[in-house]
Amino acid sequence: MKAISLAANPRTLTKTTGSKKVRQSGRLPGVVYGNGDPEIVELETKQFDKAVQSTEAKNFLVELEIDGKKSMVLVQDIQKHPLSNLYIHVDFKRLTKDSVVTAQVPLQPIGTAEGVQQGGVLQTPLHMISLKGRPADIPESLKPDVSHLEVGQSIYLNDIELPEGVVALGSPKTLLVAVATSRMQMMAEAEAAATEAATEGEDTKESADAAEGEKES
């Protein structure tokens, strides 16, 4: 996972009213915690939004500069207003070179499944996967190749290849991707089965009528 550079300043305005004033000035309140004393900070909201838009991971690595001092942090939590969807607060977790973290990264299947070309439907029950490892080793996304999947075949969590030292959290049998029969396919198969059953019934009736005719003769 690549680190994104951001700059922050110590925040003097605290509590609810202080945080509101910080946001009104176009800056985002935040806190840096872990491996030392917590630091109350603020940073440019526009710059933070650019960082968020530049990655698809929910938890991403940041090289954060505060008063000229740089440190590696992980975006641990982002709070947004429920109505306006504007940023309210961000939590950074301070890291060391040996830190092991848990991060959520997006699942992005690549390729067109053979089963889809045959009329099936690609299903992805999960969109985010939790990974644990050193931040530099955690990929920004998981991109399993689904081109080989036929209808009825699936990819599970334990089928995903991960970098050394990185593990996926959850049951190994967690379903990630599957190719299912489409509704149109099911209707066509049901219609074909009904037609076949009707044909077999007519053949059976004709055979029975013929046998009855021979018996009467």
Side-chain angles (χ1 to χ4, degrees), residues 41-80:
V41 299
E42 59 183 68
L43 60 159
E44 291 289 344
T45 302
K46 289 184 178 180
Q47 292 301 316
F48 182 74
D49 184 59
K50 286 182 179 180
V52 172
Q53 299 303 323
S54 68
T55 180
E56 294 165 334
K58 183 177 180 180
N59 309 106
F60 55 92
L61 195 60
V62 170
E63 184 182 55
L64 189 64
E65 181 177 351
I66 305 174
D67 281 346
K69 182 181 178 181
K70 296 181 179 180
S71 60
M72 299 301 294
V73 300
L74 185 76
V75 174
Q76 191 69 32
D77 184 57
I78 302 172
Q79 298 178 30
K80 289 186 174 184

PDB file of all heavy atoms in Angstrom, residues 41-80:
ATOM      1  N   VAL A  41      -5.285  17.509  15.725  1.00  0.00           N
ATOM      2  CA  VAL A  41      -4.806  18.204  14.526  1.00  0.00           C
ATOM      3  C   VAL A  41      -5.967  18.708  13.673  1.00  0.00           C
ATOM      4  O   VAL A  41      -7.126  18.400  13.927  1.00  0.00           O
ATOM      5  CB  VAL A  41      -3.926  17.261  13.666  1.00  0.00           C
ATOM      6  CG1 VAL A  41      -2.696  16.805  14.447  1.00  0.00           C
ATOM      7  CG2 VAL A  41      -4.733  16.054  13.171  1.00  0.00           C
ATOM      8  N   GLU A  42      -5.599  19.487  12.664  1.00  0.00           N
ATOM      9  CA  GLU A  42      -6.553  19.904  11.642  1.00  0.00           C
ATOM     10  C   GLU A  42      -5.804  19.950  10.314  1.00  0.00           C
ATOM     11  O   GLU A  42      -4.598  20.205  10.277  1.00  0.00           O
ATOM     12  CB  GLU A  42      -7.153  21.278  11.959  1.00  0.00           C
ATOM     13  CG  GLU A  42      -6.129  22.387  12.088  1.00  0.00           C
ATOM     14  CD  GLU A  42      -6.775  23.715  12.463  1.00  0.00           C
ATOM     15  OE1 GLU A  42      -7.270  23.824  13.601  1.00  0.00           O
ATOM     16  OE2 GLU A  42      -6.764  24.616  11.600  1.00  0.00           O
ATOM     17  N   LEU A  43      -6.508  19.685   9.217  1.00  0.00           N
ATOM     18  CA  LEU A  43      -5.887  19.681   7.897  1.00  0.00           C
ATOM     19  C   LEU A  43      -6.879  20.181   6.865  1.00  0.00           C
ATOM     20  O   LEU A  43      -8.088  20.239   7.125  1.00  0.00           O
ATOM     21  CB  LEU A  43      -5.376  18.297   7.526  1.00  0.00           C
ATOM     22  CG  LEU A  43      -6.380  17.134   7.463  1.00  0.00           C
ATOM     23  CD1 LEU A  43      -5.821  16.016   6.599  1.00  0.00           C
ATOM     24  CD2 LEU A  43      -6.647  16.564   8.861  1.00  0.00           C
ATOM     25  N   GLU A  44      -6.362  20.540   5.694  1.00  0.00           N
ATOM     26  CA  GLU A  44      -7.212  21.063   4.638  1.00  0.00           C
ATOM     27  C   GLU A  44      -8.200  19.986   4.171  1.00  0.00           C
ATOM     28  O   GLU A  44      -7.796  18.893   3.779  1.00  0.00           O
ATOM     29  CB  GLU A  44      -6.366  21.521   3.455  1.00  0.00           C
ATOM     30  CG  GLU A  44      -5.510  22.753   3.730  1.00  0.00           C
ATOM     31  CD  GLU A  44      -6.352  24.016   3.845  1.00  0.00           C
ATOM     32  OE1 GLU A  44      -7.522  23.998   3.421  1.00  0.00           O
ATOM     33  OE2 GLU A  44      -5.829  25.018   4.365  1.00  0.00           O
ATOM     34  N   THR A  45      -9.482  20.323   4.214  1.00  0.00           N
ATOM     35  CA  THR A  45     -10.508  19.354   3.812  1.00  0.00           C
ATOM     36  C   THR A  45     -10.364  18.960   2.346  1.00  0.00           C
ATOM     37  O   THR A  45     -10.506  17.788   1.996  1.00  0.00           O
ATOM     38  CB  THR A  45     -11.912  19.937   4.050  1.00  0.00           C
ATOM     39  OG1 THR A  45     -12.050  20.281   5.424  1.00  0.00           O
ATOM     40  CG2 THR A  45     -12.991  18.923   3.686  1.00  0.00           C
ATOM     41  N   LYS A  46     -10.043  19.931   1.479  1.00  0.00           N
ATOM     42  CA  LYS A  46      -9.908  19.636   0.049  1.00  0.00           C
ATOM     43  C   LYS A  46      -8.755  18.679  -0.212  1.00  0.00           C
ATOM     44  O   LYS A  46      -8.862  17.771  -1.042  1.00  0.00           O
ATOM     45  CB  LYS A  46      -9.716  20.932  -0.745  1.00  0.00           C
ATOM     46  CG  LYS A  46     -10.963  21.804  -0.829  1.00  0.00           C
ATOM     47  CD  LYS A  46     -10.715  23.023  -1.704  1.00  0.00           C
ATOM     48  CE  LYS A  46     -11.972  23.875  -1.841  1.00  0.00           C
ATOM     49  NZ  LYS A  46     -11.730  25.079  -2.695  1.00  0.00           N
ATOM     50  N   GLN A  47      -7.644  18.870   0.497  1.00  0.00           N
ATOM     51  CA  GLN A  47      -6.496  17.988   0.321  1.00  0.00           C
ATOM     52  C   GLN A  47      -6.815  16.574   0.805  1.00  0.00           C
ATOM     53  O   GLN A  47      -6.416  15.587   0.189  1.00  0.00           O
ATOM     54  CB  GLN A  47      -5.286  18.542   1.069  1.00  0.00           C
ATOM     55  CG  GLN A  47      -4.732  19.838   0.494  1.00  0.00           C
ATOM     56  CD  GLN A  47      -4.309  19.670  -0.967  1.00  0.00           C
ATOM     57  OE1 GLN A  47      -3.673  18.701  -1.341  1.00  0.00           O
ATOM     58  NE2 GLN A  47      -4.692  20.644  -1.805  1.00  0.00           N
ATOM     59  N   PHE A  48      -7.550  16.509   1.911  1.00  0.00           N
ATOM     60  CA  PHE A  48      -7.926  15.189   2.423  1.00  0.00           C
ATOM     61  C   PHE A  48      -8.869  14.488   1.452  1.00  0.00           C
ATOM     62  O   PHE A  48      -8.761  13.285   1.214  1.00  0.00           O
ATOM     63  CB  PHE A  48      -8.574  15.312   3.796  1.00  0.00           C
ATOM     64  CG  PHE A  48      -8.944  13.985   4.403  1.00  0.00           C
ATOM     65  CD1 PHE A  48      -7.973  13.150   4.925  1.00  0.00           C
ATOM     66  CD2 PHE A  48     -10.263  13.564   4.427  1.00  0.00           C
ATOM     67  CE1 PHE A  48      -8.308  11.910   5.467  1.00  0.00           C
ATOM     68  CE2 PHE A  48     -10.611  12.342   4.967  1.00  0.00           C
ATOM     69  CZ  PHE A  48      -9.626  11.506   5.491  1.00  0.00           C
ATOM     70  N   ASP A  49      -9.802  15.250   0.888  1.00  0.00           N
ATOM     71  CA  ASP A  49     -10.734  14.657  -0.075  1.00  0.00           C
ATOM     72  C   ASP A  49      -9.993  14.129  -1.307  1.00  0.00           C
ATOM     73  O   ASP A  49     -10.330  13.064  -1.826  1.00  0.00           O
ATOM     74  CB  ASP A  49     -11.779  15.684  -0.496  1.00  0.00           C
ATOM     75  CG  ASP A  49     -12.822  15.102  -1.428  1.00  0.00           C
ATOM     76  OD1 ASP A  49     -13.507  14.145  -1.038  1.00  0.00           O
ATOM     77  OD2 ASP A  49     -12.925  15.578  -2.570  1.00  0.00           O
ATOM     78  N   LYS A  50      -8.975  14.845  -1.760  1.00  0.00           N
ATOM     79  CA  LYS A  50      -8.173  14.373  -2.886  1.00  0.00           C
ATOM     80  C   LYS A  50      -7.494  13.048  -2.546  1.00  0.00           C
ATOM     81  O   LYS A  50      -7.399  12.151  -3.383  1.00  0.00           O
ATOM     82  CB  LYS A  50      -7.123  15.415  -3.265  1.00  0.00           C
ATOM     83  CG  LYS A  50      -7.678  16.639  -3.989  1.00  0.00           C
ATOM     84  CD  LYS A  50      -6.552  17.596  -4.371  1.00  0.00           C
ATOM     85  CE  LYS A  50      -7.092  18.815  -5.104  1.00  0.00           C
ATOM     86  NZ  LYS A  50      -6.008  19.768  -5.478  1.00  0.00           N
ATOM     87  N   ALA A  51      -7.015  12.944  -1.312  1.00  0.00           N
ATOM     88  CA  ALA A  51      -6.377  11.703  -0.876  1.00  0.00           C
ATOM     89  C   ALA A  51      -7.364  10.544  -0.880  1.00  0.00           C
ATOM     90  O   ALA A  51      -7.053   9.438  -1.330  1.00  0.00           O
ATOM     91  CB  ALA A  51      -5.781  11.888   0.525  1.00  0.00           C
ATOM     92  N   VAL A  52      -8.573  10.811  -0.387  1.00  0.00           N
ATOM     93  CA  VAL A  52      -9.613   9.774  -0.362  1.00  0.00           C
ATOM     94  C   VAL A  52      -9.960   9.329  -1.778  1.00  0.00           C
ATOM     95  O   VAL A  52     -10.110   8.137  -2.057  1.00  0.00           O
ATOM     96  CB  VAL A  52     -10.875  10.284   0.364  1.00  0.00           C
ATOM     97  CG1 VAL A  52     -12.021   9.283   0.224  1.00  0.00           C
ATOM     98  CG2 VAL A  52     -10.576  10.544   1.830  1.00  0.00           C
ATOM     99  N   GLN A  53     -10.073  10.296  -2.692  1.00  0.00           N
ATOM    100  CA  GLN A  53     -10.452   9.989  -4.070  1.00  0.00           C
ATOM    101  C   GLN A  53      -9.343   9.272  -4.829  1.00  0.00           C
ATOM    102  O   GLN A  53      -9.612   8.618  -5.842  1.00  0.00           O
ATOM    103  CB  GLN A  53     -10.816  11.282  -4.811  1.00  0.00           C
ATOM    104  CG  GLN A  53     -11.991  12.039  -4.231  1.00  0.00           C
ATOM    105  CD  GLN A  53     -13.263  11.205  -4.159  1.00  0.00           C
ATOM    106  OE1 GLN A  53     -13.545  10.403  -5.052  1.00  0.00           O
ATOM    107  NE2 GLN A  53     -14.039  11.381  -3.105  1.00  0.00           N
ATOM    108  N   SER A  54      -8.100   9.377  -4.350  1.00  0.00           N
ATOM    109  CA  SER A  54      -6.971   8.781  -5.066  1.00  0.00           C
ATOM    110  C   SER A  54      -6.772   7.301  -4.749  1.00  0.00           C
ATOM    111  O   SER A  54      -5.945   6.641  -5.365  1.00  0.00           O
ATOM    112  CB  SER A  54      -5.674   9.531  -4.736  1.00  0.00           C
ATOM    113  OG  SER A  54      -5.295   9.323  -3.378  1.00  0.00           O
ATOM    114  N   THR A  55      -7.504   6.783  -3.786  1.00  0.00           N
ATOM    115  CA  THR A  55      -7.374   5.377  -3.429  1.00  0.00           C
ATOM    116  C   THR A  55      -8.755   4.774  -3.256  1.00  0.00           C
ATOM    117  O   THR A  55      -9.726   5.482  -2.988  1.00  0.00           O
ATOM    118  CB  THR A  55      -6.561   5.208  -2.133  1.00  0.00           C
ATOM    119  OG1 THR A  55      -6.453   3.812  -1.814  1.00  0.00           O
ATOM    120  CG2 THR A  55      -7.226   5.926  -0.974  1.00  0.00           C
ATOM    121  N   GLU A  56      -8.833   3.468  -3.404  1.00  0.00           N
ATOM    122  CA  GLU A  56     -10.119   2.783  -3.254  1.00  0.00           C
ATOM    123  C   GLU A  56     -10.216   2.051  -1.921  1.00  0.00           C
ATOM    124  O   GLU A  56     -11.232   1.458  -1.603  1.00  0.00           O
ATOM    125  CB  GLU A  56     -10.314   1.805  -4.415  1.00  0.00           C
ATOM    126  CG  GLU A  56     -10.444   2.528  -5.758  1.00  0.00           C
ATOM    127  CD  GLU A  56     -10.270   1.589  -6.933  1.00  0.00           C
ATOM    128  OE1 GLU A  56      -9.595   0.561  -6.772  1.00  0.00           O
ATOM    129  OE2 GLU A  56     -10.804   1.898  -8.003  1.00  0.00           O
ATOM    130  N   ALA A  57      -9.118   2.073  -1.159  1.00  0.00           N
ATOM    131  CA  ALA A  57      -9.112   1.406   0.136  1.00  0.00           C
ATOM    132  C   ALA A  57      -9.824   2.264   1.178  1.00  0.00           C
ATOM    133  O   ALA A  57      -9.753   3.501   1.150  1.00  0.00           O
ATOM    134  CB  ALA A  57      -7.680   1.138   0.579  1.00  0.00           C
ATOM    135  N   LYS A  58     -10.514   1.615   2.078  1.00  0.00           N
ATOM    136  CA  LYS A  58     -11.199   2.340   3.144  1.00  0.00           C
ATOM    137  C   LYS A  58     -10.196   2.842   4.172  1.00  0.00           C
ATOM    138  O   LYS A  58     -10.324   3.941   4.704  1.00  0.00           O
ATOM    139  CB  LYS A  58     -12.242   1.434   3.815  1.00  0.00           C
ATOM    140  CG  LYS A  58     -13.056   2.121   4.892  1.00  0.00           C
ATOM    141  CD  LYS A  58     -14.114   1.199   5.449  1.00  0.00           C
ATOM    142  CE  LYS A  58     -14.938   1.892   6.524  1.00  0.00           C
ATOM    143  NZ  LYS A  58     -15.993   1.008   7.085  1.00  0.00           N
ATOM    144  N   ASN A  59      -9.211   2.023   4.499  1.00  0.00           N
ATOM    145  CA  ASN A  59      -8.123   2.397   5.403  1.00  0.00           C
ATOM    146  C   ASN A  59      -6.855   2.513   4.570  1.00  0.00           C
ATOM    147  O   ASN A  59      -6.410   1.526   3.997  1.00  0.00           O
ATOM    148  CB  ASN A  59      -7.938   1.344   6.497  1.00  0.00           C
ATOM    149  CG  ASN A  59      -9.241   1.006   7.200  1.00  0.00           C
ATOM    150  OD1 ASN A  59      -9.799  -0.060   6.975  1.00  0.00           O
ATOM    151  ND2 ASN A  59      -9.730   1.902   8.023  1.00  0.00           N
ATOM    152  N   PHE A  60      -6.292   3.710   4.497  1.00  0.00           N
ATOM    153  CA  PHE A  60      -5.123   3.883   3.636  1.00  0.00           C
ATOM    154  C   PHE A  60      -3.979   4.542   4.386  1.00  0.00           C
ATOM    155  O   PHE A  60      -4.148   5.172   5.433  1.00  0.00           O
ATOM    156  CB  PHE A  60      -5.477   4.674   2.368  1.00  0.00           C
ATOM    157  CG  PHE A  60      -6.106   6.011   2.594  1.00  0.00           C
ATOM    158  CD1 PHE A  60      -5.344   7.161   2.666  1.00  0.00           C
ATOM    159  CD2 PHE A  60      -7.488   6.136   2.719  1.00  0.00           C
ATOM    160  CE1 PHE A  60      -5.918   8.398   2.873  1.00  0.00           C
ATOM    161  CE2 PHE A  60      -8.080   7.371   2.916  1.00  0.00           C
ATOM    162  CZ  PHE A  60      -7.293   8.502   2.996  1.00  0.00           C
ATOM    163  N   LEU A  61      -2.778   4.359   3.842  1.00  0.00           N
ATOM    164  CA  LEU A  61      -1.541   4.793   4.472  1.00  0.00           C
ATOM    165  C   LEU A  61      -1.249   6.254   4.123  1.00  0.00           C
ATOM    166  O   LEU A  61      -1.389   6.658   2.970  1.00  0.00           O
ATOM    167  CB  LEU A  61      -0.402   3.890   3.995  1.00  0.00           C
ATOM    168  CG  LEU A  61       0.919   3.908   4.758  1.00  0.00           C
ATOM    169  CD1 LEU A  61       0.699   3.495   6.215  1.00  0.00           C
ATOM    170  CD2 LEU A  61       1.903   2.954   4.087  1.00  0.00           C
ATOM    171  N   VAL A  62      -0.838   7.018   5.121  1.00  0.00           N
ATOM    172  CA  VAL A  62      -0.557   8.452   4.936  1.00  0.00           C
ATOM    173  C   VAL A  62       0.788   8.798   5.572  1.00  0.00           C
ATOM    174  O   VAL A  62       1.091   8.375   6.696  1.00  0.00           O
ATOM    175  CB  VAL A  62      -1.667   9.322   5.568  1.00  0.00           C
ATOM    176  CG1 VAL A  62      -1.261  10.792   5.588  1.00  0.00           C
ATOM    177  CG2 VAL A  62      -2.974   9.155   4.803  1.00  0.00           C
ATOM    178  N   GLU A  63       1.582   9.577   4.839  1.00  0.00           N
ATOM    179  CA  GLU A  63       2.762  10.194   5.425  1.00  0.00           C
ATOM    180  C   GLU A  63       2.329  11.586   5.879  1.00  0.00           C
ATOM    181  O   GLU A  63       2.177  12.505   5.069  1.00  0.00           O
ATOM    182  CB  GLU A  63       3.892  10.286   4.396  1.00  0.00           C
ATOM    183  CG  GLU A  63       5.187  10.849   4.980  1.00  0.00           C
ATOM    184  CD  GLU A  63       6.282  10.991   3.938  1.00  0.00           C
ATOM    185  OE1 GLU A  63       6.021  11.666   2.916  1.00  0.00           O
ATOM    186  OE2 GLU A  63       7.376  10.454   4.140  1.00  0.00           O
ATOM    187  N   LEU A  64       2.107  11.717   7.173  1.00  0.00           N
ATOM    188  CA  LEU A  64       1.517  12.934   7.727  1.00  0.00           C
ATOM    189  C   LEU A  64       2.604  13.840   8.301  1.00  0.00           C
ATOM    190  O   LEU A  64       3.395  13.423   9.153  1.00  0.00           O
ATOM    191  CB  LEU A  64       0.506  12.577   8.814  1.00  0.00           C
ATOM    192  CG  LEU A  64      -0.354  13.711   9.349  1.00  0.00           C
ATOM    193  CD1 LEU A  64      -1.260  14.270   8.261  1.00  0.00           C
ATOM    194  CD2 LEU A  64      -1.193  13.227  10.534  1.00  0.00           C
ATOM    195  N   GLU A  65       2.628  15.081   7.834  1.00  0.00           N
ATOM    196  CA  GLU A  65       3.600  16.059   8.320  1.00  0.00           C
ATOM    197  C   GLU A  65       2.912  17.041   9.257  1.00  0.00           C
ATOM    198  O   GLU A  65       1.941  17.699   8.887  1.00  0.00           O
ATOM    199  CB  GLU A  65       4.231  16.813   7.149  1.00  0.00           C
ATOM    200  CG  GLU A  65       5.275  17.833   7.588  1.00  0.00           C
ATOM    201  CD  GLU A  65       5.944  18.533   6.423  1.00  0.00           C
ATOM    202  OE1 GLU A  65       5.717  18.100   5.260  1.00  0.00           O
ATOM    203  OE2 GLU A  65       6.682  19.504   6.665  1.00  0.00           O
ATOM    204  N   ILE A  66       3.432  17.114  10.487  1.00  0.00           N
ATOM    205  CA  ILE A  66       2.895  18.032  11.491  1.00  0.00           C
ATOM    206  C   ILE A  66       4.045  18.890  12.002  1.00  0.00           C
ATOM    207  O   ILE A  66       5.009  18.388  12.594  1.00  0.00           O
ATOM    208  CB  ILE A  66       2.250  17.270  12.670  1.00  0.00           C
ATOM    209  CG1 ILE A  66       1.182  16.291  12.167  1.00  0.00           C
ATOM    210  CG2 ILE A  66       1.627  18.243  13.671  1.00  0.00           C
ATOM    211  CD1 ILE A  66       0.603  15.404  13.256  1.00  0.00           C
ATOM    212  N   ASP A  67       3.962  20.189  11.755  1.00  0.00           N
ATOM    213  CA  ASP A  67       5.023  21.119  12.175  1.00  0.00           C
ATOM    214  C   ASP A  67       6.394  20.675  11.675  1.00  0.00           C
ATOM    215  O   ASP A  67       7.389  20.697  12.421  1.00  0.00           O
ATOM    216  CB  ASP A  67       5.036  21.259  13.701  1.00  0.00           C
ATOM    217  CG  ASP A  67       3.941  22.189  14.209  1.00  0.00           C
ATOM    218  OD1 ASP A  67       3.352  22.922  13.386  1.00  0.00           O
ATOM    219  OD2 ASP A  67       3.667  22.165  15.418  1.00  0.00           O
ATOM    220  N   GLY A  68       6.452  20.233  10.427  1.00  0.00           N
ATOM    221  CA  GLY A  68       7.726  19.855   9.838  1.00  0.00           C
ATOM    222  C   GLY A  68       8.194  18.446  10.169  1.00  0.00           C
ATOM    223  O   GLY A  68       9.194  17.971   9.610  1.00  0.00           O
ATOM    224  N   LYS A  69       7.496  17.741  11.051  1.00  0.00           N
ATOM    225  CA  LYS A  69       7.868  16.389  11.425  1.00  0.00           C
ATOM    226  C   LYS A  69       6.933  15.391  10.729  1.00  0.00           C
ATOM    227  O   LYS A  69       5.710  15.496  10.846  1.00  0.00           O
ATOM    228  CB  LYS A  69       7.777  16.216  12.942  1.00  0.00           C
ATOM    229  CG  LYS A  69       8.195  14.842  13.415  1.00  0.00           C
ATOM    230  CD  LYS A  69       8.068  14.729  14.939  1.00  0.00           C
ATOM    231  CE  LYS A  69       8.440  13.337  15.419  1.00  0.00           C
ATOM    232  NZ  LYS A  69       8.301  13.206  16.900  1.00  0.00           N
ATOM    233  N   LYS A  70       7.534  14.434  10.023  1.00  0.00           N
ATOM    234  CA  LYS A  70       6.744  13.452   9.286  1.00  0.00           C
ATOM    235  C   LYS A  70       6.641  12.133  10.045  1.00  0.00           C
ATOM    236  O   LYS A  70       7.597  11.708  10.693  1.00  0.00           O
ATOM    237  CB  LYS A  70       7.356  13.198   7.902  1.00  0.00           C
ATOM    238  CG  LYS A  70       7.356  14.419   6.983  1.00  0.00           C
ATOM    239  CD  LYS A  70       7.961  14.083   5.638  1.00  0.00           C
ATOM    240  CE  LYS A  70       7.942  15.299   4.711  1.00  0.00           C
ATOM    241  NZ  LYS A  70       8.538  14.986   3.384  1.00  0.00           N
ATOM    242  N   SER A  71       5.491  11.512   9.928  1.00  0.00           N
ATOM    243  CA  SER A  71       5.288  10.185  10.524  1.00  0.00           C
ATOM    244  C   SER A  71       4.307   9.405   9.672  1.00  0.00           C
ATOM    245  O   SER A  71       3.477   9.981   8.958  1.00  0.00           O
ATOM    246  CB  SER A  71       4.771  10.311  11.962  1.00  0.00           C
ATOM    247  OG  SER A  71       3.533  11.001  11.988  1.00  0.00           O
ATOM    248  N   MET A  72       4.415   8.087   9.750  1.00  0.00           N
ATOM    249  CA  MET A  72       3.516   7.220   9.000  1.00  0.00           C
ATOM    250  C   MET A  72       2.283   6.921   9.845  1.00  0.00           C
ATOM    251  O   MET A  72       2.391   6.512  11.010  1.00  0.00           O
ATOM    252  CB  MET A  72       4.208   5.916   8.608  1.00  0.00           C
ATOM    253  CG  MET A  72       5.414   6.111   7.709  1.00  0.00           C
ATOM    254  SD  MET A  72       5.039   6.957   6.147  1.00  0.00           S
ATOM    255  CE  MET A  72       3.999   5.730   5.362  1.00  0.00           C
ATOM    256  N   VAL A  73       1.114   7.151   9.259  1.00  0.00           N
ATOM    257  CA  VAL A  73      -0.144   6.898   9.959  1.00  0.00           C
ATOM    258  C   VAL A  73      -1.100   6.149   9.026  1.00  0.00           C
ATOM    259  O   VAL A  73      -0.931   6.156   7.808  1.00  0.00           O
ATOM    260  CB  VAL A  73      -0.801   8.212  10.439  1.00  0.00           C
ATOM    261  CG1 VAL A  73       0.115   8.953  11.392  1.00  0.00           C
ATOM    262  CG2 VAL A  73      -1.164   9.096   9.251  1.00  0.00           C
ATOM    263  N   LEU A  74      -2.090   5.542   9.628  1.00  0.00           N
ATOM    264  CA  LEU A  74      -3.140   4.863   8.868  1.00  0.00           C
ATOM    265  C   LEU A  74      -4.459   5.569   9.125  1.00  0.00           C
ATOM    266  O   LEU A  74      -4.786   5.882  10.275  1.00  0.00           O
ATOM    267  CB  LEU A  74      -3.250   3.399   9.293  1.00  0.00           C
ATOM    268  CG  LEU A  74      -4.229   2.536   8.491  1.00  0.00           C
ATOM    269  CD1 LEU A  74      -3.624   2.175   7.139  1.00  0.00           C
ATOM    270  CD2 LEU A  74      -4.583   1.258   9.256  1.00  0.00           C
ATOM    271  N   VAL A  75      -5.195   5.856   8.070  1.00  0.00           N
ATOM    272  CA  VAL A  75      -6.536   6.419   8.244  1.00  0.00           C
ATOM    273  C   VAL A  75      -7.414   5.321   8.840  1.00  0.00           C
ATOM    274  O   VAL A  75      -7.747   4.337   8.181  1.00  0.00           O
ATOM    275  CB  VAL A  75      -7.111   6.910   6.906  1.00  0.00           C
ATOM    276  CG1 VAL A  75      -8.564   7.346   7.088  1.00  0.00           C
ATOM    277  CG2 VAL A  75      -6.284   8.069   6.367  1.00  0.00           C
ATOM    278  N   GLN A  76      -7.746   5.489  10.098  1.00  0.00           N
ATOM    279  CA  GLN A  76      -8.467   4.447  10.827  1.00  0.00           C
ATOM    280  C   GLN A  76      -9.980   4.605  10.713  1.00  0.00           C
ATOM    281  O   GLN A  76     -10.705   3.632  10.572  1.00  0.00           O
ATOM    282  CB  GLN A  76      -8.059   4.474  12.303  1.00  0.00           C
ATOM    283  CG  GLN A  76      -8.541   3.286  13.110  1.00  0.00           C
ATOM    284  CD  GLN A  76      -7.856   1.995  12.712  1.00  0.00           C
ATOM    285  OE1 GLN A  76      -6.695   2.002  12.308  1.00  0.00           O
ATOM    286  NE2 GLN A  76      -8.562   0.882  12.822  1.00  0.00           N
ATOM    287  N   ASP A  77     -10.438   5.853  10.747  1.00  0.00           N
ATOM    288  CA  ASP A  77     -11.889   6.073  10.696  1.00  0.00           C
ATOM    289  C   ASP A  77     -12.176   7.464  10.141  1.00  0.00           C
ATOM    290  O   ASP A  77     -11.491   8.435  10.494  1.00  0.00           O
ATOM    291  CB  ASP A  77     -12.501   5.931  12.098  1.00  0.00           C
ATOM    292  CG  ASP A  77     -14.011   6.060  12.075  1.00  0.00           C
ATOM    293  OD1 ASP A  77     -14.669   5.295  11.357  1.00  0.00           O
ATOM    294  OD2 ASP A  77     -14.539   6.959  12.767  1.00  0.00           O
ATOM    295  N   ILE A  78     -13.169   7.543   9.279  1.00  0.00           N
ATOM    296  CA  ILE A  78     -13.609   8.814   8.709  1.00  0.00           C
ATOM    297  C   ILE A  78     -15.078   9.001   9.048  1.00  0.00           C
ATOM    298  O   ILE A  78     -15.904   8.136   8.740  1.00  0.00           O
ATOM    299  CB  ILE A  78     -13.429   8.851   7.180  1.00  0.00           C
ATOM    300  CG1 ILE A  78     -11.967   8.619   6.793  1.00  0.00           C
ATOM    301  CG2 ILE A  78     -13.919  10.179   6.604  1.00  0.00           C
ATOM    302  CD1 ILE A  78     -11.754   8.455   5.296  1.00  0.00           C
ATOM    303  N   GLN A  79     -15.403  10.114   9.682  1.00  0.00           N
ATOM    304  CA  GLN A  79     -16.794  10.396  10.022  1.00  0.00           C
ATOM    305  C   GLN A  79     -17.361  11.424   9.055  1.00  0.00           C
ATOM    306  O   GLN A  79     -16.700  12.415   8.733  1.00  0.00           O
ATOM    307  CB  GLN A  79     -16.891  10.920  11.454  1.00  0.00           C
ATOM    308  CG  GLN A  79     -16.424   9.927  12.506  1.00  0.00           C
ATOM    309  CD  GLN A  79     -16.482  10.507  13.903  1.00  0.00           C
ATOM    310  OE1 GLN A  79     -17.330  11.358  14.200  1.00  0.00           O
ATOM    311  NE2 GLN A  79     -15.587  10.067  14.768  1.00  0.00           N
ATOM    312  N   LYS A  80     -18.590  11.159   8.593  1.00  0.00           N
ATOM    313  CA  LYS A  80     -19.279  12.078   7.694  1.00  0.00           C
ATOM    314  C   LYS A  80     -20.648  12.444   8.259  1.00  0.00           C
ATOM    315  O   LYS A  80     -21.245  11.679   9.018  1.00  0.00           O
ATOM    316  CB  LYS A  80     -19.457  11.445   6.308  1.00  0.00           C
ATOM    317  CG  LYS A  80     -18.185  11.314   5.502  1.00  0.00           C
ATOM    318  CD  LYS A  80     -18.489  10.823   4.095  1.00  0.00           C
ATOM    319  CE  LYS A  80     -17.269  10.816   3.212  1.00  0.00           C
ATOM    320  NZ  LYS A  80     -17.609  10.417   1.816  1.00  0.00           N
TER     321      LYS A  80
END
